[in-house]
Amino acid sequence: MGFWNSLWPGREAQFEAGNAATNSIVLTRRHSTVSLTKQGALSGNLRVNLSWRMRTSDIGGRSGQSGRLLRPLKLFQPEAVQAHTQGMVNVDLDLGCMYELADGTKGVVQPLGNLLGDLNSPPYIRLSGDDRFGAPSGETLYVNLDQREHIKRLMCFVYIYDQTPAFDRTHAKVTLYPGNGPSVEIELDERAPQARSCAVFTVENVKNELIVRREVKFVYGFQSELDRMYGFGMQWGRGYKTRT
């Protein structure tokens, strides 16, 4: 151990700091729920962030890599241009949230129609920014947990704005950052090549306890189909967002 530490001074301390910095809960099919209340997230803003990056092409994927191991000189050759161009798709993922308040009010917060919400008055949800390039900052939705008694349920979703279904070409992740407690990560890691929308998670207020449930359910339509799936009962029409 002393030998390796002499080569990289401070290496052990950096490793420990890295583990502490990535303290999070990952929701999976098997472990699909977490209580924000029990985690101490009772006040402040719940920040919900969508981020993604493009996958490289599946052409010459794992099989191509194994071929390179059999032919070591291939490791020093660049990937074929054709594989790169087919692997990159211009995809625009958007984050949205359907809500039902304790008084029965229902609605949606999303970029389409400029329905960005309000943090300090109903629906106590606000969408900030519309990232069209998968930048690290992504898109962010805020939920005012100081007003949690007014929130009955939420359903956060992701959809593809343009006409190219490409969920299978992206590494997308939604992360919840409460004011207190660990972050909660949900990866959209299931392949659904033709899907255009995905219900990512729900939040329900059950006897004053906020329960987050992983959904990750892909559909081939848009918001109206997600609405039917979760029974919000809203009326939908075609919407647009301003291009800048």
Side-chain angles (χ1 to χ4, degrees):
M1 182 63 69
F3 173 74
W4 294 113
N5 285 341
S6 66
L7 290 179
W8 292 287
R11 179 174 177 267
E12 186 174 358
Q14 290 175 5
F15 179 78
E16 292 175 351
N19 278 351
T22 57
N23 180 28
S24 62
I25 297 171
V26 179
L27 296 186
T28 64
R29 281 187 175 185
R30 180 171 295 183
H31 303 287
S32 60
T33 62
V34 64
S35 169
L36 292 180
T37 304
K38 291 180 180 178
Q39 296 295 327
L42 299 175
S43 61
N45 294 330
L46 171 66
R47 180 164 59 95
V48 180
N49 178 257
L50 164 67
S51 60
W52 75 92
R53 58 185 175 85
M54 302 307 301
R55 296 180 188 267
T56 55
S57 175
D58 290 336
I59 300 174
R62 293 184 178 179
S63 60
Q65 292 296 328
S66 62
R68 287 183 165 223
L69 294 176
L70 293 175
R71 292 172 290 176
L73 292 178
K74 283 283 188 178
L75 291 173
F76 301 99
Q77 296 181 6
E79 295 283 355
V81 175
Q82 181 184 14
H84 175 75
T85 54
Q86 291 190 19
M88 300 303 292
V89 175
N90 185 18
V91 60
D92 179 10
L93 298 184
D94 281 339
L95 177 66
C97 180
M98 297 183 197
Y99 61 84
E100 181 178 0
L101 303 183
D103 64 2
T105 302
K106 299 177 183 178
V108 63
V109 173
Q110 63 178 16
L112 286 179
N114 201 36
L115 301 172
L116 302 181
D118 194 298
L119 200 57
N120 297 312
S121 60
Y124 308 109
I125 306 165
R126 175 73 181 178
L127 180 64
S128 176
D130 176 19
D131 173 50
R132 298 177 185 141
F133 304 101
S137 59
E139 297 187 9
T140 302
L141 189 79
Y142 296 90
V143 180
N144 187 347
L145 295 184
D146 290 332
Q147 303 294 332
R148 62 189 181 280
E149 70 274 9
H150 298 295
I151 299 173
K152 181 178 180 180
R153 61 171 176 149
L154 309 174
M155 190 276 287
C156 284
F157 60 94
V158 173
Y159 63 97
I160 297 175
Y161 174 69
D162 62 21
Q163 298 301 310
T164 304
F167 273 112
D168 63 327
R169 299 293 184 91
T170 63
H171 285 289
K173 179 173 69 174
V174 173
T175 307
L176 289 73
Y177 297 95
N180 292 313
S183 61
V184 179
E185 296 182 3
I186 304 172
E187 292 194 5
L188 280 62
D189 51 2
E190 299 175 16
R191 292 297 185 95
Q194 300 302 316
R196 299 184 185 277
S197 305
C198 178
V200 181
F201 69 90
T202 56
V203 179
E204 289 194 75
N205 193 334
V206 182
K207 297 180 179 179
N208 294 322
E209 182 177 4
L210 293 180
I211 306 294
V212 176
R213 178 180 298 276
R214 175 191 184 273
E215 299 291 335
V216 190
K217 295 180 179 178
F218 291 92
V219 299
Y220 300 102
F222 292 98
Q223 290 89 326
S224 58
E225 189 169 342
L226 292 173
D227 185 334
R228 286 192 295 271
M229 183 182 295
Y230 288 90
F232 282 89
M234 292 183 282
Q235 298 294 320
W236 297 89
R238 179 173 291 276
Y240 300 92
K241 61 181 182 181
T242 305
R243 291 293 188 184
T244 57

